[in-house]
Amino acid sequence: MPVIAVIGAQWGDEGKGKIVDLLAQEAKIIVRFSGGDNAGHTVVNPYGEFKLHLVPSGIFSPQAICVIGNGVAVNPSVLIGEIDELNQRGVDTTRLFISDRAHLIMPYHILLDGLEEKLRGGKAIGTTRKGIGPTYTDKAARLGIRSGDLLDKEAFLERLHFILDYKNIILTKVYGVSPLSLDEVYSQYCQYGERLAPHIRETSMMLEEALNRDELVLLEGAQGTLLDPDFGTYPYTTSSSPLAGGSCLGSGLSPIRINRIVGVFKAYCTRVGGGPMPTELKDETGSLIREHAHEYGTTTGRPRRCGWFDAVAARFSTRINGFTGMAITRLDILDILPRLKICVGYKLDGQTIDYFPANLATVEKCQPIYEELSGWQAPTSHIRQYEQLPLEARQYVARLEELTSCPANLISVGAQREQTIRKTPIL
Ligand code: IMP
């Protein structure tokens, strides 16, 4: 059986949770490989509606093992809260495992995220303030604490002591705030460790074993391609790689094991936080989409910036990830619009370009070139067969497929699992 990676193709919030929940019904292992609780994956299924931040969206499939991979930044308090909520609502979490290599979000990371954002003033990134950037900074600086460290209390104390001394110098001398207490952080994290111990283990071997048994493995992306620190709109990005390439690094799976890469695209674009978004609609249509689709951040509640589908960015995303197919989500949101636009190129200094520039100031200068299509102005949420979609909706989907050179595997027309059209088989 194959490995399928499900990847955010835009600026996050594309609806990956729903797609993973759907595919997970046939999977044996589902692995989150990047990000942390900055992510918010909404899943609506027979158990109810859930907003998952760390637990993989496959947790509702009773046959599946869920793994929080080494590439994820784990806030143990958030994770425990999520496990408790799932248990209270009847979802079994004994099948949830956390890589012993996954880095932990510590209280100073959350403090520093806020302090750094404040210091950036007008140039703030608009982070979720969950401590993500500082955690990955420490990983690269070799100052991180990993989940496996919680399993040896003595060694953990020694490491925390060393790191906290260093962090307290930064907190007090650079930012002028109070230091954190070693005793308090230590005892709090020891409690987390005791609670999470049954879930913490070496997890890359679990993937290998599943593949040897010929079982389906799903790699669940978080955030989106244009938030990647290398290929996104840097520095207005997140700090771990949401790309298909990142799925190997963040799970311990070899790149040659991935068979299919499904890019999840919203039928329009949204972005939350700062940074350029060439097709952003600052007008009534943008507000209409936001209100109709309730485009507010799952994690922070911030209003999302809404805009037309950007095929230039989509082609870039398809190339960087090697998408073998797309999942188009929230097509039903467009039901209400009489005319639709797709950005097919950018105007830059009087020239037409068809690539996504690396330089931030250049992206900011890009003016979208639009192609206009007729809307369908008819409900689609009840439709399950592609052929039953209104002609204009099929034309819209076909144009997205053409512009990205990628077949649409799935089309989502509502939040529920069954509100899905299976157009082209993934495998
Ligand atoms: P951070 O990941 O919290 O450091 O935030 C960095 C940028 O990524 C900000 O613009 C956030 O709004 C954005 N971001 C992080 N996670 C998500 C997500 O799950 N969906 C959408 N945007 C996100």
Side-chain angles (χ1 to χ4, degrees), residues 21-42:
D21 173 62
L22 180 79
L23 299 179
Q25 293 174 96
E26 289 143 45
K28 198 58 204 265
I29 299 204
I30 298 99
V31 192
R32 264 280 306 267
F33 61 81
S34 69
D37 62 307
N38 49 350
H41 293 180
T42 305

Side-chain angles (χ1 to χ4, degrees), residues 11-13 38-40 113 125-130 132-133 223 227 237-239 271-274 302:
W11 279 283
D13 307 319
N38 49 350
D113 199 354
I125 294 164
T127 74
T128 58
R129 301 196 178 216
K130 302 289 178 189
I132 303 296
Q223 288 83 48
L227 290 172
T237 61
T238 191
S239 302
R271 173 165 202 168
V272 62
R302 292 177 292 176

Side-chain angles (χ1 to χ4, degrees), residues 8-10 225-226 265 312-323:
Q10 296 156 324
T225 299
L226 298 166
F265 289 89
V312 180
R315 270 198 301 268
F316 174 64
S317 180
T318 302
R319 177 168 64 80
I320 294 300
N321 287 292
F323 293 143

Side-chain angles (χ1 to χ4, degrees), residues 24-73:
Q25 293 174 96
E26 289 143 45
K28 198 58 204 265
I29 299 204
I30 298 99
V31 192
R32 264 280 306 267
F33 61 81
S34 69
D37 62 307
N38 49 350
H41 293 180
T42 305
V43 176
V44 185
N45 60 25
Y47 287 94
E49 179 173 337
F50 295 83
K51 296 192 185 302
L52 300 172
H53 300 284
L54 280 165
V55 174
S57 305
I59 196 71
F60 307 98
S61 293
Q63 82 292 349
I65 287 171
C66 285
V67 171
I68 297 179
N70 56 281
V72 178

Side-chain angles (χ1 to χ4, degrees), residues 172-193:
T172 55
K173 302 242 184 312
V174 177
Y175 291 104
V177 299
S178 306
L180 292 171
S181 144
L182 175 66
D183 283 351
E184 279 175 26
V185 178
Y186 177 67
S187 66
Q188 191 181 41
Y189 274 68
C190 282
Q191 280 174 33
Y192 296 151

